[in-house]
Amino acid sequence: MTNDNNAAMKTPVQALEDRRRQQGDSVAMVQPLGGDQVRRYTWNEVADEAYRMAAYLKAEGIQAGDRVALVSKNCAEWIIADLAIWVAGGVSVPLYPTLLADSVRLILEHSESKLLFVGKLDDWDMMKDGVPEGVKQVAFSLAPDEVRGKVPVWTDIVAKQEPLAEAASPGPDDLATIIYTSGTTGVPKGVMHQYKSMSAVGAKVIQVYNLEPSDRMISYLPLSHVAERAAVEMALLYVGNTVYFAESLDTFGEDIKRAKPTLFFAVPRIWSKFYQKASEALPPKKLNTLLKIPLLNKVIKKKVLGAMGLDECRVALSGAAPLSTDIISWFNKMDLEILEVYGMTENFGWSHTTEQGDQQIGWVGTPNDGVECRIGEAGEVEVRSVANMSGYYKQADLTAEVLTEDGWLKTGDVGEIDGRGRLRITGRIKEIFKTEKGKYVAPAPIENRLASQPGVELACVIGANMAQPIALLNLTPEEQEKLSKGTEKEHFTQSLNALLEKVNSQIDAHERLNALVVCKTPWTVENGLITPTLKLKRNEIEKYYDADLPTWAASRGVIWEQ
């Protein structure tokens, strides 16, 4: 086993052994079980269950290098199962818990997974037909009753199985996991990460924000996504802090208040929801007035953040897409500095970080320890680090398109670097479109401005071969509820017209929007218009509205889809 001075080469399993030795009786994870009930897992219990499940996997014929898949919403057994796969010498293959049967089958067959852990799911019926014959299954404790009644159950296995005597000891270049991308542009690709990716991120993430075992996090974004895996799972193992799990979207408010996270990572859509709800409860003008009163200033800030469960948060992070400057500025007024970070599945989320006190709004910070960054052809951001993937599984041709022979990863993002080495992402190469005037438009920064408007959930800017771009909008469920009562539409239309005028005054002439279209169909994972990580599937959205686009492109102002 490596020692703490050589932490960069420590595998997640070796990190687990350190946690058991150093913090055995400390609480590692807190799992809600419904109502006020929770289960607190100590490090001793985490390690014991991981080694028992690893022994079961070996008994079921899992050998070194075999792929074992997991499909579940976040829960303690997800992380313990991941560890068990590695203890047994296998390769973990996480699946999003919202995939349809066809995608489940594609991934399980492509990865040649031998066994599938089935966990906490909202709709197993839409997935179950995708499990190929011959793939064994194990049910988590919180799996649907239908699954628990048909296959071996986690609690029964760990109660009867003796722990594996000795963990596998893979090298840094051995394959640890295959993470299938969420597929904004087509068929998911299997991103291969070796143990050295995880070792490097696990060891280095501690230093970036001075993480301590006393820190608390809440896990609610999919663990099948690299951001949560790096920020939550690796930090948990290499730092030894406590992770609380969210039970459901309906209970998220209570879950986060239970956790009172000291470190909180969110995608822009979550920060936008926080901002919009706070603005509805305390309009910005009224808030600004109250903040000017010295005796009320601190009280108001604590109350506003406390309502979000963030009154003890010392590190707030945002990633996966740009965050509106309006939202960042608003949280700055609350003395909560949201730091934008940058990374992708292909580099295990390890690329750029904004350091506290060095925030430049609109920029994603400087390269992390061990990361090199340069701007390549057509302004494309390229990065090189030990956390870069080894390639796409069974897709050498696609690997060659994004990984150079000397190890540079072509990110697909367009960006620029300032004199201090900070990076700004200005768009995606595949998303930038050309209007009929021959002018290029990057949609993401414009969408950002639109999505900060109260009542707007998502915005998609479209304009290829149009005279001027237009934006399609999806409204929040709360706003839709208000509008259904029939009294708010005129007022909301006025606010959208004001938004259109404001945004157009902030962007170049060729980018200005002719119209905002309020779409009546919600964009969801289930109808294929957004990914499981809440990113727009632009091609699918354009296809969905293809028949209406010419009419909308010739219109002006605010349009309500009929």
Side-chain angles (χ1 to χ4, degrees):
M1 181 181 294
T2 55
N3 58 38
D4 288 337
N5 292 328
N6 194 20
M9 298 307 293
K10 190 185 298 177
T11 69
V13 173
Q14 289 169 329
L16 172 65
E17 284 305 311
D18 283 353
R19 300 281 71 78
R20 172 154 63 173
R21 188 178 69 252
Q22 297 167 10
Q23 299 171 246
D25 294 327
S26 299
V27 175
M29 296 185 280
V30 179
Q31 175 67 55
L33 300 173
D36 294 329
Q37 287 190 304
V38 297
R39 178 180 171 187
R40 300 177 187 277
Y41 288 79
T42 66
W43 282 108
N44 282 331
E45 290 170 328
V46 171
D48 180 65
E49 293 198 13
Y51 274 74
R52 288 177 188 272
M53 187 54 68
Y56 175 82
L57 293 177
K58 299 282 279 186
E60 289 296 303
I62 299 301
Q63 300 177 16
D66 282 349
R67 270 74 68 203
V68 178
L70 311 93
V71 61
S72 175
K73 293 166 72 175
N74 297 13
C75 60
E77 285 171 1
W78 197 108
I79 289 178
I80 301 173
D82 208 19
L83 289 164
I85 294 166
W86 291 328
V87 170
V91 175
S92 68
V93 182
L95 277 69
Y96 284 96
T98 49
L99 294 178
L100 299 176
D102 288 348
S103 297
V104 171
R105 182 174 295 276
L106 184 154
I107 292 172
L108 292 179
E109 289 183 344
H110 187 263
S111 64
E112 301 175 73
S113 291
K114 302 281 182 69
L115 186 143
L116 173 68
F117 285 103
V118 180
K120 185 180 176 184
L121 296 166
D122 289 331
D123 193 349
W124 174 239
D125 285 342
M126 75 177 187
M127 311 181 84
K128 62 184 181 182
D129 292 341
V131 182
E133 281 189 35
V135 174
K136 298 176 182 179
Q137 295 178 45
V138 170
F140 285 173
S141 306
L142 299 173
D145 290 342
E146 178 190 352
V147 184
R148 289 165 50 84
K150 292 181 180 178
V151 305
V153 178
W154 182 283
T155 44
D156 296 336
I157 293 170
V158 298
K160 298 172 185 174
Q161 184 74 53
E162 288 298 313
L164 192 66
E166 187 176 355
S169 54
D173 293 326
D174 287 330
L175 184 61
T177 190
I178 304 173
I179 306 173
Y180 282 81
T181 61
S182 54
T184 56
T185 55
V187 177
K189 300 183 285 289
V191 177
M192 296 187 290
H193 276 293
Q194 301 159 308
Y195 279 95
K196 62 186 179 185
S197 294
M198 296 182 166
S199 300
V201 173
K204 294 174 186 295
V205 74
I206 305 171
Q207 303 156 12
V208 178
Y209 297 112
N210 299 314
L211 300 181
E212 299 285 349
S214 58
D215 278 314
R216 298 181 302 278
M217 297 184 189
I218 182 166
S219 178
Y220 66 101
L221 296 170
L223 273 163
S224 44
H225 186 260
V226 72
E228 192 82 349
R229 202 108 172 268
V232 172
E233 187 184 26
M234 290 304 111
L236 172 70
L237 291 168
Y238 287 80
V239 178
N241 55 279
T242 304
V243 168
Y244 291 71
F245 292 93
E247 184 175 4
S248 68
L249 281 176
D250 292 338
T251 65
F252 181 71
E254 291 76 39
D255 294 329
I256 192 171
K257 287 171 188 172
R258 178 193 295 125
K260 285 190 171 292
T262 57
L263 186 145
F264 183 69
F265 173 81
V267 294
R269 190 172 174 187
I270 301 295
W271 289 117
S272 179
K273 280 180 176 290
F274 277 143
Y275 166 73
Q276 290 183 1
K277 287 198 171 184
S279 296
E280 287 171 8
L282 192 60
K285 285 185 180 178
K286 186 175 180 181
L287 174 65
N288 289 337
T289 301
L290 292 172
L291 290 178
K292 291 174 184 176
I293 304 171
L295 291 174
L296 289 179
N297 185 285
K298 288 186 178 180
V299 174
I300 293 295
K301 290 175 181 177
K302 187 167 181 63
K303 188 171 182 179
V304 170
L305 292 178
M308 302 174 188
L310 297 177
D311 48 319
E312 295 186 20
C313 183
R314 66 177 185 84
V315 180
L317 306 175
S318 182
L323 180 60
S324 161
T325 56
D326 290 343
I327 293 175
I328 292 176
S329 299
W330 185 88
F331 274 97
N332 279 344
K333 288 182 186 176
M334 297 295 105
D335 293 336
L336 187 66
E337 186 183 31
I338 299 178
L339 306 173
E340 291 198 88
V341 296
Y342 172 66
M344 55 198 303
T345 306
E346 284 82 351
N347 59 20
F348 207 68
W350 190 249
S351 183
H352 286 67
T353 300
T354 301
E355 294 184 14
Q356 288 176 307
D358 189 39
Q359 184 187 65
Q360 176 80 356
I361 293 179
W363 299 69
V364 295
T366 53
N368 292 335
D369 183 24
V371 175
E372 299 173 83
C373 180
R374 70 185 185 188
I375 304 299
E377 291 182 17
E380 185 173 12
V381 178
E382 299 180 1
V383 293
R384 180 166 65 180
S385 83
V386 70
N388 279 3
M389 67 173 182
S390 57
Y392 295 120
Y393 187 54
K394 296 181 181 176
Q395 293 179 299
D397 53 338
L398 291 180
T399 301
E401 289 178 14
V402 300
L403 268 184
T404 68
E405 289 186 7
D406 55 348
W408 287 91
L409 172 66
K410 298 178 180 180
T411 65
D413 287 315
V414 180
E416 58 184 295
I417 299 171
D418 72 5
R420 295 185 54 182
R422 288 179 296 208
L423 175 67
R424 182 160 75 114
I425 305 298
T426 56
R428 290 282 295 169
I429 288 177
K430 291 181 180 178
E431 290 177 358
I432 293 173
F433 58 80
K434 189 191 290 186
T435 65
E436 68 176 21
K437 299 171 184 174
K439 297 282 190 176
Y440 286 99
V441 176
I446 305 171
E447 291 162 352
N448 241 353
R449 297 175 190 273
L450 296 169
S452 64
Q453 174 81 358
V456 175
E457 177 113 274
L458 293 165
C460 181
V461 172
I462 290 171
N465 302 314
M466 295 179 182
Q468 289 291 138
I470 63 172
L472 311 186
L473 305 180
N474 237 209
L475 304 186
T476 63
E478 295 82 1
E479 193 62 44
Q480 290 170 358
E481 174 68 21
K482 285 184 200 172
L483 293 169
S484 69
K485 296 173 182 174
T487 57
E488 292 283 329
K489 187 171 181 180
E490 185 177 345
H491 178 264
F492 194 69
T493 300
Q494 290 173 356
S495 71
L496 289 181
N497 273 312
L499 174 68
L500 179 60
E501 187 176 336
K502 175 185 171 186
V503 170
N504 279 342
S505 71
Q506 297 169 335
I507 56 182
D508 292 339
H510 71 278
E511 299 175 309
R512 288 174 190 154
L513 306 170
N514 269 353
L516 300 181
V517 182
V518 181
C519 301
K520 62 184 180 182
T521 302
W523 303 340
T524 65
V525 175
E526 289 72 25
N527 64 21
L529 298 182
I530 60 173
T531 74
T533 52
L534 313 182
K535 294 179 184 175
L536 301 173
K537 286 191 172 182
R538 296 176 184 279
N539 294 343
E540 296 303 318
I541 290 173
E542 288 198 35
K543 272 194 249 174
Y544 189 87
Y545 295 106
D546 184 60
D548 294 308
L549 289 179
T551 302
W552 292 342
S555 303
R556 298 288 185 276
V558 176
I559 304 163
W560 292 81
E561 184 189 7
Q562 300 302 311

